[in-house]
Amino acid sequence: MSKISIVTRMGIALSLIVALTVGTLLASYWLSERADQDALAINLAGSLRMQTYRYALHHQQQPQSAEALKFADELMDTWKHPVFNRFNFGQGELATQFKSTRQDWEQLQSSLITGQVTGAELERELAPHIAMLQSLVNAIQAEAESRIRAIRLIQILSLFSTITLAGFIAYWLRSRVRDPLQQLTQVARRIGQGDFTARVKHHTGDELGVLSATLNKMSDAISYMYGNLEKRVDEQTQAIQRSNARLQFLYDMARNIIERSPSYHDFTDIIEGLKEASQVTDIELCLITATGDKPYLQVQPQEQADDPCAGVDCAACVSAGGGVSVMDNKRVFRFPLEREHHYYGVLVARCERGDQLDDWQQQLMQSVSDQLAIALSLKQEEDQVRRLALIQERTVIARELHDSLAQALSYLKIQVTRLDRAIAKDNHEIIEDVSQELREGLSSAYRQLRELLTTFRLKVDGSGLINALQTTIKQFEEQSDLLFRLDYQLANSPLAPHEEIHLLQIIREACQNAIHHSQGTEVVIRIQESIDQGISLSIEDDGVGIPEQAEKLNHYGLAIMQERSKHLAGEIFIRRRDEGGTGVYFSFRPEYLKERDSEIA
């Protein structure tokens, strides 16, 4: 594999072209420079024949004349002309021929001067010399023509060499530069389009080879990274889906716990959902009471034929708390259901002895156990609240019976005692008076019993106090001829349930008194809130008014209203109105205002 750089190769190619061109120019210049004197040499060599004839003719006529000497000098000057220096001082066949021709002339001239050659012999003696001159001229001409042919040959060879070298360079550029560049461009375009399987098949040691190898490595790296990225994305997607399934399971579980207290079927559904979310098949839930040592509810895996708890001490298992243990070639994970130092049971997960639960599986099961503990705690608190509510309701019923029907029955019992004594004494006046009292007492007791039954059936539902008041007013209007008007301004006041009940009962007692004792035509009920006094209630009628010295206050329900006002830590006033009628005025500070006052303080 060649490791010569492309730039070096292109430099060598350009150098060869330049060298060939320069060499051709230099050779042509050298040959043309030498051929530049050939025409003069041929001309002078040709003139030697004429000068030889002219000298010989004048010498024959006047041997020592000035004219003959002049021609002799001119002829010698021609022989010594600088153009013939390369023949005089050179080597080679042409130089030898020139020298021999000159010597022949010198010998002939000497013979002429000495008279050895007569006029009749002159022409015969000149003929060989003229022939030698002609041969010399022809030789010089042949040499000049050979130089011209050499120049042409050099030019032709240079042309073909240049064409050959250019073709080789073009082929080299195409095979080693253009084709690899096109391949690199195509591969780069495919990689840019996301095809990381494209590869460059150009394995050389030059720059393009290095670039090809680098591009292949880059493509391999990107392909590897892209594959890993896709794999990681798939893994992350699956992990997110699993996390989403776990979160959905926890959300559904929390929602079901909030909506209702879980039962056996709910616990079964929770365990089945936990199996699917945690990918653990062997999960068991055991619930125990605060003082028990055996589970009162046990949710076991349904797909197992054998009881996983066979031969296991339940008391030791449920009281073992959290942790990991090995039992019957099984690794057992325990997650206690515990909240606020109350123990409700244990969630058990089993796997093979060589396996291990992942951190997310343990966290999921711990979250489920915590939520189950919260659900059971809330259920326990709800049961306690129901028991307290039942006790409180019974206390209220007992108080209502004591304040109304029990007192009436006590009064009737006293009247019966008076009746027994009157019968023993046969006192008809007392008997008649007691009988009247008994009839009135029984009527009052029956009326109070009916009112108590109505009160016990009365409730404040999700519509709030306003709806209960409207229902109560509608009942009173049906039972009497009075007109009731309600001014309710507590739309923005969040009252507690017991506050609504006590307010409703105070209004009912006051309205009942107005129906039975006011003898009026209208009752106005106003409920409003003020920043200083809190909740203010007033029930006013236009009747005869309460007596200044009211007797038998319990018959008018005043004692019941006093008792309920104490439960709300409020103040109640019952007085005769100046314009006529009776007014019941009650005010208290609700719990939400008390909490706000404590935060401000």
Side-chain angles (χ1 to χ4, degrees), residues 180-213:
L181 281 176
Q182 289 180 348
Q183 191 177 6
L184 282 171
T185 303
Q186 293 175 358
V187 171
R189 187 178 293 110
R190 290 175 59 185
I191 293 175
Q193 293 173 355
D195 183 10
F196 301 112
T197 61
R199 296 294 182 273
V200 182
K201 299 178 181 180
H202 183 71
H203 305 290
T204 59
D206 54 16
E207 291 89 342
L208 293 179
V210 174
L211 181 60
S212 301

PDB file of all heavy atoms in Angstrom, residues 180-213:
ATOM      1  N   PRO A 180     -12.490   8.105  -5.746  1.00  0.00           N
ATOM      2  CA  PRO A 180     -12.602   8.060  -4.271  1.00  0.00           C
ATOM      3  C   PRO A 180     -13.386   9.240  -3.699  1.00  0.00           C
ATOM      4  O   PRO A 180     -14.155   9.071  -2.744  1.00  0.00           O
ATOM      5  CB  PRO A 180     -11.140   8.079  -3.810  1.00  0.00           C
ATOM      6  CG  PRO A 180     -10.373   7.498  -4.941  1.00  0.00           C
ATOM      7  CD  PRO A 180     -11.079   7.971  -6.168  1.00  0.00           C
ATOM      8  N   LEU A 181     -13.205  10.428  -4.285  1.00  0.00           N
ATOM      9  CA  LEU A 181     -13.966  11.585  -3.801  1.00  0.00           C
ATOM     10  C   LEU A 181     -15.460  11.400  -4.035  1.00  0.00           C
ATOM     11  O   LEU A 181     -16.285  11.742  -3.173  1.00  0.00           O
ATOM     12  CB  LEU A 181     -13.478  12.865  -4.486  1.00  0.00           C
ATOM     13  CG  LEU A 181     -12.180  13.465  -3.933  1.00  0.00           C
ATOM     14  CD1 LEU A 181     -11.768  14.669  -4.765  1.00  0.00           C
ATOM     15  CD2 LEU A 181     -12.335  13.859  -2.475  1.00  0.00           C
ATOM     16  N   GLN A 182     -15.833  10.875  -5.220  1.00  0.00           N
ATOM     17  CA  GLN A 182     -17.243  10.611  -5.478  1.00  0.00           C
ATOM     18  C   GLN A 182     -17.792   9.574  -4.505  1.00  0.00           C
ATOM     19  O   GLN A 182     -18.917   9.721  -3.985  1.00  0.00           O
ATOM     20  CB  GLN A 182     -17.416  10.128  -6.923  1.00  0.00           C
ATOM     21  CG  GLN A 182     -17.207  11.211  -7.975  1.00  0.00           C
ATOM     22  CD  GLN A 182     -17.402  10.674  -9.381  1.00  0.00           C
ATOM     23  OE1 GLN A 182     -17.477   9.472  -9.599  1.00  0.00           O
ATOM     24  NE2 GLN A 182     -17.461  11.584 -10.351  1.00  0.00           N
ATOM     25  N   GLN A 183     -17.010   8.529  -4.256  1.00  0.00           N
ATOM     26  CA  GLN A 183     -17.448   7.514  -3.305  1.00  0.00           C
ATOM     27  C   GLN A 183     -17.577   8.095  -1.903  1.00  0.00           C
ATOM     28  O   GLN A 183     -18.548   7.816  -1.182  1.00  0.00           O
ATOM     29  CB  GLN A 183     -16.460   6.349  -3.312  1.00  0.00           C
ATOM     30  CG  GLN A 183     -16.956   5.124  -2.548  1.00  0.00           C
ATOM     31  CD  GLN A 183     -15.984   3.970  -2.650  1.00  0.00           C
ATOM     32  OE1 GLN A 183     -14.906   4.129  -3.184  1.00  0.00           O
ATOM     33  NE2 GLN A 183     -16.365   2.819  -2.131  1.00  0.00           N
ATOM     34  N   LEU A 184     -16.599   8.915  -1.522  1.00  0.00           N
ATOM     35  CA  LEU A 184     -16.688   9.574  -0.222  1.00  0.00           C
ATOM     36  C   LEU A 184     -17.917  10.464  -0.130  1.00  0.00           C
ATOM     37  O   LEU A 184     -18.612  10.492   0.891  1.00  0.00           O
ATOM     38  CB  LEU A 184     -15.422  10.404   0.023  1.00  0.00           C
ATOM     39  CG  LEU A 184     -14.163   9.642   0.449  1.00  0.00           C
ATOM     40  CD1 LEU A 184     -12.967  10.573   0.423  1.00  0.00           C
ATOM     41  CD2 LEU A 184     -14.340   9.052   1.843  1.00  0.00           C
ATOM     42  N   THR A 185     -18.192  11.187  -1.215  1.00  0.00           N
ATOM     43  CA  THR A 185     -19.362  12.077  -1.219  1.00  0.00           C
ATOM     44  C   THR A 185     -20.647  11.277  -1.088  1.00  0.00           C
ATOM     45  O   THR A 185     -21.558  11.640  -0.321  1.00  0.00           O
ATOM     46  CB  THR A 185     -19.381  12.909  -2.510  1.00  0.00           C
ATOM     47  OG1 THR A 185     -18.151  13.634  -2.621  1.00  0.00           O
ATOM     48  CG2 THR A 185     -20.541  13.883  -2.505  1.00  0.00           C
ATOM     49  N   GLN A 186     -20.763  10.167  -1.833  1.00  0.00           N
ATOM     50  CA  GLN A 186     -21.964   9.340  -1.757  1.00  0.00           C
ATOM     51  C   GLN A 186     -22.142   8.738  -0.368  1.00  0.00           C
ATOM     52  O   GLN A 186     -23.240   8.734   0.191  1.00  0.00           O
ATOM     53  CB  GLN A 186     -21.891   8.241  -2.809  1.00  0.00           C
ATOM     54  CG  GLN A 186     -21.960   8.745  -4.245  1.00  0.00           C
ATOM     55  CD  GLN A 186     -21.756   7.633  -5.261  1.00  0.00           C
ATOM     56  OE1 GLN A 186     -21.524   6.481  -4.891  1.00  0.00           O
ATOM     57  NE2 GLN A 186     -21.833   7.982  -6.545  1.00  0.00           N
ATOM     58  N   VAL A 187     -21.030   8.230   0.185  1.00  0.00           N
ATOM     59  CA  VAL A 187     -21.115   7.638   1.525  1.00  0.00           C
ATOM     60  C   VAL A 187     -21.476   8.705   2.551  1.00  0.00           C
ATOM     61  O   VAL A 187     -22.301   8.467   3.451  1.00  0.00           O
ATOM     62  CB  VAL A 187     -19.789   6.947   1.877  1.00  0.00           C
ATOM     63  CG1 VAL A 187     -19.772   6.527   3.344  1.00  0.00           C
ATOM     64  CG2 VAL A 187     -19.570   5.731   0.982  1.00  0.00           C
ATOM     65  N   ALA A 188     -20.865   9.882   2.427  1.00  0.00           N
ATOM     66  CA  ALA A 188     -21.185  10.961   3.368  1.00  0.00           C
ATOM     67  C   ALA A 188     -22.652  11.363   3.257  1.00  0.00           C
ATOM     68  O   ALA A 188     -23.319  11.634   4.271  1.00  0.00           O
ATOM     69  CB  ALA A 188     -20.281  12.165   3.105  1.00  0.00           C
ATOM     70  N   ARG A 189     -23.172  11.387   2.010  1.00  0.00           N
ATOM     71  CA  ARG A 189     -24.587  11.730   1.828  1.00  0.00           C
ATOM     72  C   ARG A 189     -25.489  10.668   2.442  1.00  0.00           C
ATOM     73  O   ARG A 189     -26.505  10.988   3.073  1.00  0.00           O
ATOM     74  CB  ARG A 189     -24.881  11.881   0.335  1.00  0.00           C
ATOM     75  CG  ARG A 189     -26.294  12.402   0.044  1.00  0.00           C
ATOM     76  CD  ARG A 189     -26.534  12.589  -1.433  1.00  0.00           C
ATOM     77  NE  ARG A 189     -25.706  13.668  -1.976  1.00  0.00           N
ATOM     78  CZ  ARG A 189     -24.684  13.483  -2.799  1.00  0.00           C
ATOM     79  NH1 ARG A 189     -24.346  12.259  -3.177  1.00  0.00           N
ATOM     80  NH2 ARG A 189     -23.992  14.503  -3.254  1.00  0.00           N
ATOM     81  N   ARG A 190     -25.132   9.394   2.282  1.00  0.00           N
ATOM     82  CA  ARG A 190     -25.930   8.313   2.883  1.00  0.00           C
ATOM     83  C   ARG A 190     -25.873   8.366   4.404  1.00  0.00           C
ATOM     84  O   ARG A 190     -26.886   8.143   5.080  1.00  0.00           O
ATOM     85  CB  ARG A 190     -25.428   6.957   2.383  1.00  0.00           C
ATOM     86  CG  ARG A 190     -25.735   6.689   0.906  1.00  0.00           C
ATOM     87  CD  ARG A 190     -25.109   5.406   0.426  1.00  0.00           C
ATOM     88  NE  ARG A 190     -25.589   4.263   1.193  1.00  0.00           N
ATOM     89  CZ  ARG A 190     -25.128   3.017   1.041  1.00  0.00           C
ATOM     90  NH1 ARG A 190     -24.165   2.788   0.162  1.00  0.00           N
ATOM     91  NH2 ARG A 190     -25.618   2.031   1.770  1.00  0.00           N
ATOM     92  N   ILE A 191     -24.683   8.660   4.932  1.00  0.00           N
ATOM     93  CA  ILE A 191     -24.577   8.794   6.393  1.00  0.00           C
ATOM     94  C   ILE A 191     -25.403   9.974   6.876  1.00  0.00           C
ATOM     95  O   ILE A 191     -26.063   9.906   7.923  1.00  0.00           O
ATOM     96  CB  ILE A 191     -23.095   8.947   6.796  1.00  0.00           C
ATOM     97  CG1 ILE A 191     -22.334   7.650   6.520  1.00  0.00           C
ATOM     98  CG2 ILE A 191     -22.969   9.317   8.277  1.00  0.00           C
ATOM     99  CD1 ILE A 191     -20.852   7.761   6.780  1.00  0.00           C
ATOM    100  N   GLY A 192     -25.371  11.073   6.081  1.00  0.00           N
ATOM    101  CA  GLY A 192     -26.189  12.224   6.462  1.00  0.00           C
ATOM    102  C   GLY A 192     -27.667  11.921   6.445  1.00  0.00           C
ATOM    103  O   GLY A 192     -28.447  12.540   7.174  1.00  0.00           O
ATOM    104  N   GLN A 193     -28.096  10.945   5.612  1.00  0.00           N
ATOM    105  CA  GLN A 193     -29.494  10.554   5.551  1.00  0.00           C
ATOM    106  C   GLN A 193     -29.849   9.486   6.581  1.00  0.00           C
ATOM    107  O   GLN A 193     -30.996   9.046   6.620  1.00  0.00           O
ATOM    108  CB  GLN A 193     -29.811  10.036   4.139  1.00  0.00           C
ATOM    109  CG  GLN A 193     -29.732  11.125   3.066  1.00  0.00           C
ATOM    110  CD  GLN A 193     -29.891  10.567   1.665  1.00  0.00           C
ATOM    111  OE1 GLN A 193     -29.963   9.349   1.484  1.00  0.00           O
ATOM    112  NE2 GLN A 193     -29.969  11.446   0.674  1.00  0.00           N
ATOM    113  N   GLY A 194     -28.859   9.064   7.389  1.00  0.00           N
ATOM    114  CA  GLY A 194     -29.143   8.116   8.465  1.00  0.00           C
ATOM    115  C   GLY A 194     -28.768   6.687   8.164  1.00  0.00           C
ATOM    116  O   GLY A 194     -29.059   5.790   8.978  1.00  0.00           O
ATOM    117  N   ASP A 195     -28.130   6.425   6.988  1.00  0.00           N
ATOM    118  CA  ASP A 195     -27.703   5.074   6.660  1.00  0.00           C
ATOM    119  C   ASP A 195     -26.269   4.880   7.144  1.00  0.00           C
ATOM    120  O   ASP A 195     -25.303   5.236   6.446  1.00  0.00           O
ATOM    121  CB  ASP A 195     -27.799   4.843   5.142  1.00  0.00           C
ATOM    122  CG  ASP A 195     -27.425   3.418   4.753  1.00  0.00           C
ATOM    123  OD1 ASP A 195     -27.281   2.582   5.662  1.00  0.00           O
ATOM    124  OD2 ASP A 195     -27.287   3.144   3.544  1.00  0.00           O
ATOM    125  N   PHE A 196     -26.135   4.323   8.357  1.00  0.00           N
ATOM    126  CA  PHE A 196     -24.809   4.162   8.944  1.00  0.00           C
ATOM    127  C   PHE A 196     -24.138   2.851   8.531  1.00  0.00           C
ATOM    128  O   PHE A 196     -23.082   2.513   9.055  1.00  0.00           O
ATOM    129  CB  PHE A 196     -24.905   4.226  10.474  1.00  0.00           C
ATOM    130  CG  PHE A 196     -25.480   5.520  10.967  1.00  0.00           C
ATOM    131  CD1 PHE A 196     -26.729   5.557  11.573  1.00  0.00           C
ATOM    132  CD2 PHE A 196     -24.789   6.713  10.811  1.00  0.00           C
ATOM    133  CE1 PHE A 196     -27.269   6.747  12.007  1.00  0.00           C
ATOM    134  CE2 PHE A 196     -25.317   7.897  11.251  1.00  0.00           C
ATOM    135  CZ  PHE A 196     -26.561   7.920  11.842  1.00  0.00           C
ATOM    136  N   THR A 197     -24.756   2.107   7.589  1.00  0.00           N
ATOM    137  CA  THR A 197     -24.120   0.890   7.080  1.00  0.00           C
ATOM    138  C   THR A 197     -23.241   1.173   5.873  1.00  0.00           C
ATOM    139  O   THR A 197     -22.566   0.262   5.384  1.00  0.00           O
ATOM    140  CB  THR A 197     -25.200  -0.129   6.698  1.00  0.00           C
ATOM    141  OG1 THR A 197     -26.035   0.421   5.660  1.00  0.00           O
ATOM    142  CG2 THR A 197     -26.069  -0.475   7.898  1.00  0.00           C
ATOM    143  N   ALA A 198     -23.255   2.397   5.347  1.00  0.00           N
ATOM    144  CA  ALA A 198     -22.446   2.739   4.176  1.00  0.00           C
ATOM    145  C   ALA A 198     -20.965   2.723   4.539  1.00  0.00           C
ATOM    146  O   ALA A 198     -20.573   3.204   5.602  1.00  0.00           O
ATOM    147  CB  ALA A 198     -22.857   4.109   3.639  1.00  0.00           C
ATOM    148  N   ARG A 199     -20.137   2.159   3.645  1.00  0.00           N
ATOM    149  CA  ARG A 199     -18.699   2.083   3.855  1.00  0.00           C
ATOM    150  C   ARG A 199     -17.964   2.504   2.591  1.00  0.00           C
ATOM    151  O   ARG A 199     -18.456   2.320   1.470  1.00  0.00           O
ATOM    152  CB  ARG A 199     -18.275   0.659   4.230  1.00  0.00           C
ATOM    153  CG  ARG A 199     -18.845   0.174   5.560  1.00  0.00           C
ATOM    154  CD  ARG A 199     -18.297   0.963   6.720  1.00  0.00           C
ATOM    155  NE  ARG A 199     -18.800   0.474   7.993  1.00  0.00           N
ATOM    156  CZ  ARG A 199     -19.931   0.864   8.555  1.00  0.00           C
ATOM    157  NH1 ARG A 199     -20.673   1.773   7.934  1.00  0.00           N
ATOM    158  NH2 ARG A 199     -20.307   0.366   9.713  1.00  0.00           N
ATOM    159  N   VAL A 200     -16.761   3.051   2.762  1.00  0.00           N
ATOM    160  CA  VAL A 200     -15.910   3.479   1.656  1.00  0.00           C
ATOM    161  C   VAL A 200     -14.883   2.375   1.385  1.00  0.00           C
ATOM    162  O   VAL A 200     -14.153   1.963   2.300  1.00  0.00           O
ATOM    163  CB  VAL A 200     -15.199   4.807   1.979  1.00  0.00           C
ATOM    164  CG1 VAL A 200     -14.353   5.246   0.789  1.00  0.00           C
ATOM    165  CG2 VAL A 200     -16.218   5.879   2.322  1.00  0.00           C
ATOM    166  N   LYS A 201     -14.824   1.903   0.126  1.00  0.00           N
ATOM    167  CA  LYS A 201     -13.892   0.836  -0.245  1.00  0.00           C
ATOM    168  C   LYS A 201     -12.686   1.447  -0.956  1.00  0.00           C
ATOM    169  O   LYS A 201     -12.463   1.237  -2.152  1.00  0.00           O
ATOM    170  CB  LYS A 201     -14.588  -0.185  -1.142  1.00  0.00           C
ATOM    171  CG  LYS A 201     -15.766  -0.872  -0.462  1.00  0.00           C
ATOM    172  CD  LYS A 201     -16.452  -1.845  -1.399  1.00  0.00           C
ATOM    173  CE  LYS A 201     -17.650  -2.516  -0.712  1.00  0.00           C
ATOM    174  NZ  LYS A 201     -18.333  -3.468  -1.626  1.00  0.00           N
ATOM    175  N   HIS A 202     -11.940   2.227  -0.259  1.00  0.00           N
ATOM    176  CA  HIS A 202     -10.746   2.869  -0.824  1.00  0.00           C
ATOM    177  C   HIS A 202      -9.638   2.734   0.209  1.00  0.00           C
ATOM    178  O   HIS A 202      -9.559   3.500   1.169  1.00  0.00           O
ATOM    179  CB  HIS A 202     -11.030   4.346  -1.130  1.00  0.00           C
ATOM    180  CG  HIS A 202      -9.861   5.045  -1.777  1.00  0.00           C
ATOM    181  ND1 HIS A 202      -9.470   4.793  -3.067  1.00  0.00           N
ATOM    182  CD2 HIS A 202      -9.006   5.972  -1.286  1.00  0.00           C
ATOM    183  CE1 HIS A 202      -8.417   5.551  -3.352  1.00  0.00           C
ATOM    184  NE2 HIS A 202      -8.119   6.283  -2.283  1.00  0.00           N
ATOM    185  N   HIS A 203      -8.812   1.724   0.017  1.00  0.00           N
ATOM    186  CA  HIS A 203      -7.798   1.395   1.018  1.00  0.00           C
ATOM    187  C   HIS A 203      -6.422   1.785   0.476  1.00  0.00           C
ATOM    188  O   HIS A 203      -5.732   0.990  -0.175  1.00  0.00           O
ATOM    189  CB  HIS A 203      -7.846  -0.095   1.341  1.00  0.00           C
ATOM    190  CG  HIS A 203      -9.211  -0.554   1.774  1.00  0.00           C
ATOM    191  ND1 HIS A 203      -9.776  -0.203   2.984  1.00  0.00           N
ATOM    192  CD2 HIS A 203     -10.134  -1.310   1.135  1.00  0.00           C
ATOM    193  CE1 HIS A 203     -10.971  -0.741   3.093  1.00  0.00           C
ATOM    194  NE2 HIS A 203     -11.221  -1.422   1.982  1.00  0.00           N
ATOM    195  N   THR A 204      -6.035   2.984   0.665  1.00  0.00           N
ATOM    196  CA  THR A 204      -4.711   3.476   0.299  1.00  0.00           C
ATOM    197  C   THR A 204      -4.131   4.220   1.485  1.00  0.00           C
ATOM    198  O   THR A 204      -4.822   4.502   2.467  1.00  0.00           O
ATOM    199  CB  THR A 204      -4.795   4.405  -0.932  1.00  0.00           C
ATOM    200  OG1 THR A 204      -5.668   5.506  -0.624  1.00  0.00           O
ATOM    201  CG2 THR A 204      -5.320   3.668  -2.146  1.00  0.00           C
ATOM    202  N   GLY A 205      -2.824   4.557   1.341  1.00  0.00           N
ATOM    203  CA  GLY A 205      -2.175   5.248   2.442  1.00  0.00           C
ATOM    204  C   GLY A 205      -2.143   6.742   2.291  1.00  0.00           C
ATOM    205  O   GLY A 205      -1.520   7.436   3.104  1.00  0.00           O
ATOM    206  N   ASP A 206      -2.809   7.295   1.264  1.00  0.00           N
ATOM    207  CA  ASP A 206      -2.794   8.731   1.062  1.00  0.00           C
ATOM    208  C   ASP A 206      -3.879   9.396   1.898  1.00  0.00           C
ATOM    209  O   ASP A 206      -4.529   8.757   2.732  1.00  0.00           O
ATOM    210  CB  ASP A 206      -2.950   9.062  -0.430  1.00  0.00           C
ATOM    211  CG  ASP A 206      -4.190   8.388  -1.017  1.00  0.00           C
ATOM    212  OD1 ASP A 206      -5.052   7.958  -0.224  1.00  0.00           O
ATOM    213  OD2 ASP A 206      -4.280   8.277  -2.258  1.00  0.00           O
ATOM    214  N   GLU A 207      -4.053  10.703   1.629  1.00  0.00           N
ATOM    215  CA  GLU A 207      -5.036  11.457   2.417  1.00  0.00           C
ATOM    216  C   GLU A 207      -6.441  10.909   2.244  1.00  0.00           C
ATOM    217  O   GLU A 207      -7.218  10.823   3.208  1.00  0.00           O
ATOM    218  CB  GLU A 207      -5.000  12.943   2.021  1.00  0.00           C
ATOM    219  CG  GLU A 207      -3.747  13.688   2.436  1.00  0.00           C
ATOM    220  CD  GLU A 207      -2.670  13.589   1.378  1.00  0.00           C
ATOM    221  OE1 GLU A 207      -2.770  12.692   0.525  1.00  0.00           O
ATOM    222  OE2 GLU A 207      -1.715  14.398   1.430  1.00  0.00           O
ATOM    223  N   LEU A 208      -6.806  10.550   1.011  1.00  0.00           N
ATOM    224  CA  LEU A 208      -8.148  10.017   0.777  1.00  0.00           C
ATOM    225  C   LEU A 208      -8.317   8.667   1.471  1.00  0.00           C
ATOM    226  O   LEU A 208      -9.408   8.357   1.965  1.00  0.00           O
ATOM    227  CB  LEU A 208      -8.402   9.880  -0.725  1.00  0.00           C
ATOM    228  CG  LEU A 208      -8.492  11.196  -1.507  1.00  0.00           C
ATOM    229  CD1 LEU A 208      -8.709  10.921  -2.985  1.00  0.00           C
ATOM    230  CD2 LEU A 208      -9.621  12.062  -0.967  1.00  0.00           C
ATOM    231  N   GLY A 209      -7.252   7.856   1.498  1.00  0.00           N
ATOM    232  CA  GLY A 209      -7.338   6.595   2.230  1.00  0.00           C
ATOM    233  C   GLY A 209      -7.537   6.827   3.716  1.00  0.00           C
ATOM    234  O   GLY A 209      -8.329   6.140   4.369  1.00  0.00           O
ATOM    235  N   VAL A 210      -6.765   7.792   4.267  1.00  0.00           N
ATOM    236  CA  VAL A 210      -6.937   8.124   5.684  1.00  0.00           C
ATOM    237  C   VAL A 210      -8.337   8.661   5.945  1.00  0.00           C
ATOM    238  O   VAL A 210      -8.993   8.295   6.931  1.00  0.00           O
ATOM    239  CB  VAL A 210      -5.867   9.147   6.113  1.00  0.00           C
ATOM    240  CG1 VAL A 210      -6.127   9.627   7.545  1.00  0.00           C
ATOM    241  CG2 VAL A 210      -4.475   8.543   5.998  1.00  0.00           C
ATOM    242  N   LEU A 211      -8.806   9.533   5.025  1.00  0.00           N
ATOM    243  CA  LEU A 211     -10.162  10.071   5.179  1.00  0.00           C
ATOM    244  C   LEU A 211     -11.201   8.965   5.071  1.00  0.00           C
ATOM    245  O   LEU A 211     -12.187   8.951   5.828  1.00  0.00           O
ATOM    246  CB  LEU A 211     -10.404  11.148   4.119  1.00  0.00           C
ATOM    247  CG  LEU A 211     -11.773  11.835   4.152  1.00  0.00           C
ATOM    248  CD1 LEU A 211     -11.982  12.532   5.488  1.00  0.00           C
ATOM    249  CD2 LEU A 211     -11.880  12.847   3.010  1.00  0.00           C
ATOM    250  N   SER A 212     -10.994   8.005   4.139  1.00  0.00           N
ATOM    251  CA  SER A 212     -11.929   6.897   3.998  1.00  0.00           C
ATOM    252  C   SER A 212     -11.951   6.042   5.261  1.00  0.00           C
ATOM    253  O   SER A 212     -13.021   5.677   5.770  1.00  0.00           O
ATOM    254  CB  SER A 212     -11.554   6.051   2.784  1.00  0.00           C
ATOM    255  OG  SER A 212     -11.576   6.818   1.601  1.00  0.00           O
ATOM    256  N   ALA A 213     -10.752   5.716   5.765  1.00  0.00           N
ATOM    257  CA  ALA A 213     -10.692   4.914   6.990  1.00  0.00           C
ATOM    258  C   ALA A 213     -11.336   5.648   8.160  1.00  0.00           C
ATOM    259  O   ALA A 213     -12.073   5.055   8.967  1.00  0.00           O
ATOM    260  CB  ALA A 213      -9.236   4.568   7.308  1.00  0.00           C
TER     261      ALA A 213
END
